[in-house]
């Protein structure tokens, strides 16, 4: 097992850009008459002319255009979105517990789990999960901040992952509809026999577009994402200075929500693993 890739699978952000249509007839003045709204056409024209201007500028500069934000392929979806979806759902499960509240304050709990990968690979994971949300219900906005520390052992192998995840949502709290969202992720990982490494992920859904960060293209957009992650980490750690740490009994109760949430999301995403308490 390659532990340096495990955090990308076990913690996984969504979307396909589709383009289809037909030519609209032209009016006598040369203006295209389409079925879409004026706002929609304006958005398309804005995107088109910015892209064309940028492309022509690269030609003028004799440069090959490269961008760090690229369309997310089907194969990348679980890798980018699986873990965030699971942890977002876990927060919802935790809020079923009377008294649980991580709104504008960090709540932390620790438990030991068996992560079972089919057919029979078991990793014992000592997981510390710290959570913070900021929900602006009146303006249909929400943020989630997560720190997850995994100290895992599989037979004689050992790995350690210290990760942070941040999400921003447009969410209609009246109709319960999710709109655009962004997900940032960074992790320091180490395992026996391997060099310590740091990885980052970033994914964005905007309208019908789903983009991810191509970490091989370190342009201005890439640097912006790195700076955003650093800002989020600093903010979260400052809030964690006064965190609430669950006692053993409460952590067990919260751990049940963690297990139920991850297993439910794994069923949806067809991830062939399950999780349960190590000490039942």
């Amino acid at each position: 097992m390659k532990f340096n890739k495990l955090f990308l699978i076990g913690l996984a952000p969504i979307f396909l850009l589709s383009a289809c249509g037909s030519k609209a007839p032209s009016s006598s003045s040369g203006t295209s008459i389409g079925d879409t709204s004026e706002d929609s056409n304006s958005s398309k024209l804005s995107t088109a002319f910015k892209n064309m201007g940028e492309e022509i500028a690269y030609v003028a500069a004799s440069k090959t255009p490269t961008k760090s934000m690229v369309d997310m392929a089907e194969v990348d979806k679980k890798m980018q979105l699986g873990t965030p979806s699971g942890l977002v759902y876990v927060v919802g499960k935790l809020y079923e517990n009377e008294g649980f509240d991580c709104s504008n304050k960090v709540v932390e709990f620790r438990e030991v789990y068996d992560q079972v990968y089919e057919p029979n690979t078991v990793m014992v994971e000592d997981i510390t999960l710290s959570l913070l949300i900021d929900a602006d219900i009146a303006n249909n906005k929400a943020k989630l901040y997560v720190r997850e520390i995994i100290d895992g052992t599989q037979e004689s192998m050992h790995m350690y992952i210290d990760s942070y995840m941040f999400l921003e949502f447009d969410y209609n709290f009246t109709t319960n509809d999710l709109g655009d969202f962004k997900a940032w992720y960074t992790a320091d990982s180490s395992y026996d026999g391997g060099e310590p490494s740091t990885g980052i992920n970033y994914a964005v859904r905007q309208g019908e577009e789903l983009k991810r960060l191509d970490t091989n293209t370190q342009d201005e957009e890439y640097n912006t994402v790195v700076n955003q992650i650093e800002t989020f980490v600093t903010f979260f750690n400052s809030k964690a200075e006064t965190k609430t740490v669950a006692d053993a009994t409460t952590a067990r109760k919260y751990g049940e929500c963690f297990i139920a949430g991850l297993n439910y999301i794994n069923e949806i995403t067809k991830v062939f693993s399950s999780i349960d308490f190590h000490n039942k």
Side-chain angles (χ1 to χ4, degrees), residues 67-245:
K67 294 183 179 181
S68 59
M69 294 302 295
V70 298
D71 292 340
M72 190 180 297
E74 192 74 23
V75 70
D76 293 325
K77 288 185 179 181
K78 287 183 186 179
M79 191 76 74
Q80 297 283 327
L81 295 170
T83 292
S85 64
L87 293 177
V88 172
Y89 191 83
V90 165
V91 172
K93 292 293 293 181
L94 287 167
Y95 265 96
E96 293 177 354
N97 291 279
E98 184 177 353
F100 177 85
D101 184 18
C102 64
S103 179
N104 298 311
K105 61 183 179 182
V106 175
V107 175
E108 178 178 293
F109 65 97
R110 176 183 176 185
E111 261 294 351
V112 182
Y113 308 90
D114 284 341
Q115 183 84 257
V116 181
Y117 299 91
E118 294 187 359
N120 56 3
T121 301
V122 180
M123 175 171 284
V124 180
E125 298 180 349
D126 186 336
I127 299 179
T128 301
L129 190 66
S130 304
L131 301 166
L132 167 71
I133 69 167
D134 179 7
D136 185 352
I137 295 176
N139 292 302
N140 294 320
K141 301 284 186 181
K143 297 178 182 178
L144 169 63
Y145 304 78
V146 180
R147 184 180 186 185
E148 184 174 42
I149 298 174
I150 303 176
D151 193 337
T153 303
Q154 180 192 319
E155 298 178 347
S156 61
M157 290 292 293
H158 175 255
M159 69 149 190
Y160 186 86
I161 301 170
D162 186 356
S163 64
Y164 291 84
M165 187 185 73
F166 312 99
L167 292 104
E168 291 184 354
F169 316 90
D170 290 336
Y171 186 80
N172 190 313
F173 286 89
T174 302
T175 62
N176 290 320
D177 290 323
L178 174 63
D180 297 344
F181 64 79
K182 301 176 182 178
W184 296 259
Y185 180 81
T186 182
D188 295 322
S189 61
S190 61
Y191 64 98
D192 294 342
E195 292 293 325
S197 63
T198 298
I200 65 172
N201 281 327
Y202 176 60
V204 179
R205 179 172 83 170
Q206 187 170 18
E208 295 300 317
E209 287 189 343
L210 180 63
K211 301 279 189 179
R212 68 169 180 84
L213 183 70
D214 176 8
T215 56
N216 295 317
T217 305
Q218 298 186 8
D219 61 2
E220 186 176 346
E221 269 185 320
Y222 175 91
N223 292 331
T224 297
V225 169
V226 171
N227 291 334
Q228 288 171 334
I229 290 174
E230 291 175 351
T231 300
F232 289 141
V233 169
T234 299
F235 171 76
F236 180 86
N237 287 341
S238 68
K239 298 289 285 188
E241 291 177 359
T242 55
K243 64 188 175 185
T244 299
V245 180

